[in-house]
Amino acid sequence: MPADVALLKEVPLFAALDDEERALLANQLEEVRLSAGEKVFSRGDPGGAIYIVSSGEVQISVEDTTGQVIVFETARRGDFFGELSLLDGDPRSADARAIQETSALKVDRADLELLFRRHPSSAMDVLTAIGRRLREADKMLHSRPSLSPNEMVEERLTTIQRLADGLAAFSGTFTFMMLHAVWFAVWITINLGWIPTFHAFDPFPFGLLTMVVSLEAIFLSCFVLISQSRQAAKDRIRSDVEYEANIRAGMEVTQLHSKLDHLYAQTMARLDAVERGRPPSAPTTSKPGQPAASQG
């Protein structure tokens, strides 16, 4: 399989192998062909292999709790993906979808164990790739903006609430004050008889003006109170969104770091076992809250 051997030579994971070893590994690999839009695997699927892109592009992404798709990486020729689930045995943590006609090589656990036995240093290339993706995920968690409370509330506004917001905003402007000053001056001037061409319709002490201003103050205060109640609701939504975003980011980063620590410990154990010339023992697990069994 000359094409596969040439491809393996471009992958940093297999760069340390000689031509004979790459040819041996290439004979064990399975070629997978994908059409545009086809999924390689989905989040939650069992992880049994990593994939090396020989042609085309594969998008690695995950969907967050708000339904938005976060793209971690776009794998192209010579890139590999899917190594996290293969190493720790957990289900897939992301989705992989071909965004164009794609051909990839499938490397299963047996092939990877053969590689680690022959070249233990290649395990560090896998850890480097994992660390790069963890850093990208950490950066995205810190840089992604929270959902705007204004956008959440704006979609549920009624006509009265929109009117209340507009009046409350306008009543606090200098224009509003100047319009009322001009209105009062013209009203008083006309009704005091200072302009002979106009007949006085509200003589002193301006009872009609007093009633109109009182009604305006009542309605305006009601609209302002409605707007203030909406603002308080918006502030509560903002606090909830910020709290949820902080909790979710903290949990994701903690989980990613825990997986990295677990992979590092597991890889170091494998390397130590390979150097000693014996098969690695299965890692011991303990239930949360119970100490791991001591080894003597």
Side-chain angles (χ1 to χ4, degrees), residues 32 40-41 49-53 79-82 92 104-107:
V32 179
V40 185
F41 53 77
I50 65 174
Y51 295 86
I52 303 171
V53 180
D79 296 333
F80 61 93
F81 60 92
R92 300 287 188 184
L105 298 178
K106 185 178 180 180
V107 185

Side-chain angles (χ1 to χ4, degrees), residues 6 26 49 52 56 77 89 101 103 118 131 152 164 167 169 183 201 217 224 231 234 245 247 253-254 256 267 272 282:
I52 303 171
R77 177 180 173 84
E101 292 288 337
S103 177
R118 299 204 173 191
M152 295 177 61
L167 288 176
W183 172 33
F201 58 91
V224 170
Q231 184 62 41
K234 188 185 300 184
I247 293 297
V253 172
T254 301
L256 291 173
T267 304
D272 182 68

Side-chain angles (χ1 to χ4, degrees), residues 119-194:
H119 288 277
S121 60
S122 61
M124 295 304 299
D125 295 323
V126 178
L127 289 177
T128 300
I130 296 174
R132 184 180 68 250
R133 288 177 183 145
L134 289 177
R135 287 185 180 275
E136 289 297 326
D138 193 11
K139 185 187 302 182
M140 290 179 181
L141 288 173
H142 281 85
S143 61
R144 289 186 71 232
S146 300
L147 187 62
S148 172
N150 297 325
E151 295 176 357
M152 295 177 61
V153 176
E154 195 71 23
E155 297 177 352
R156 302 193 295 266
L157 286 182
T158 64
T159 304
I160 297 298
Q161 290 174 331
R162 294 180 186 275
L163 179 61
D165 286 346
L167 288 176
F170 180 68
S171 63
T173 62
F174 183 78
T175 303
F176 180 83
M177 184 186 68
M178 292 303 299
L179 286 175
H180 278 70
V182 173
W183 172 33
F184 293 155
V186 172
W187 186 293
I188 294 172
T189 300
I190 292 175
N191 288 281
L192 287 178
W194 294 350

Side-chain angles (χ1 to χ4, degrees), residues 17-220:
L17 301 178
D18 55 31
D19 293 338
E20 181 180 355
E21 291 170 336
R22 277 193 290 266
L24 176 62
L25 183 60
N27 289 329
Q28 301 176 1
L29 302 184
E30 175 185 353
E31 187 175 9
V32 179
R33 295 188 179 276
L34 305 164
S35 57
E38 184 178 354
K39 275 195 172 183
V40 185
F41 53 77
S42 300
R43 185 177 184 179
D45 291 347
I50 65 174
Y51 295 86
I52 303 171
V53 180
S54 56
S55 63
E57 295 182 352
V58 177
Q59 187 180 79
I60 314 299
S61 62
V62 65
E63 185 174 316
D64 64 8
T65 56
T66 63
Q68 297 182 358
V69 177
I70 307 173
V71 178
F72 289 139
E73 183 182 9
T74 300
R76 299 178 176 84
R77 177 180 173 84
D79 296 333
F80 61 93
F81 60 92
E83 70 285 347
L84 187 61
S85 297
L86 178 63
L87 292 178
D88 63 9
D90 289 342
R92 300 287 188 184
S93 58
D95 299 327
R97 183 190 300 272
I99 56 180
Q100 57 181 252
E101 292 288 337
T102 302
S103 177
L105 298 178
K106 185 178 180 180
V107 185
D108 59 22
R109 183 180 291 272
D111 300 329
L112 205 60
E113 288 178 350
L114 174 63
L115 173 65
F116 287 169
R117 283 198 301 268
R118 299 204 173 191
H119 288 277
S121 60
S122 61
M124 295 304 299
D125 295 323
V126 178
L127 289 177
T128 300
I130 296 174
R132 184 180 68 250
R133 288 177 183 145
L134 289 177
R135 287 185 180 275
E136 289 297 326
D138 193 11
K139 185 187 302 182
M140 290 179 181
L141 288 173
H142 281 85
S143 61
R144 289 186 71 232
S146 300
L147 187 62
S148 172
N150 297 325
E151 295 176 357
M152 295 177 61
V153 176
E154 195 71 23
E155 297 177 352
R156 302 193 295 266
L157 286 182
T158 64
T159 304
I160 297 298
Q161 290 174 331
R162 294 180 186 275
L163 179 61
D165 286 346
L167 288 176
F170 180 68
S171 63
T173 62
F174 183 78
T175 303
F176 180 83
M177 184 186 68
M178 292 303 299
L179 286 175
H180 278 70
V182 173
W183 172 33
F184 293 155
V186 172
W187 186 293
I188 294 172
T189 300
I190 292 175
N191 288 281
L192 287 178
W194 294 350
I195 305 179
T197 56
F198 291 92
H199 176 69
F201 58 91
D202 183 26
F204 183 84
F206 315 116
L208 180 59
L209 177 62
T210 303
M211 183 186 69
V212 171
V213 171
S214 300
L215 290 175
E216 180 194 24
I218 292 173
F219 282 102
L220 186 60

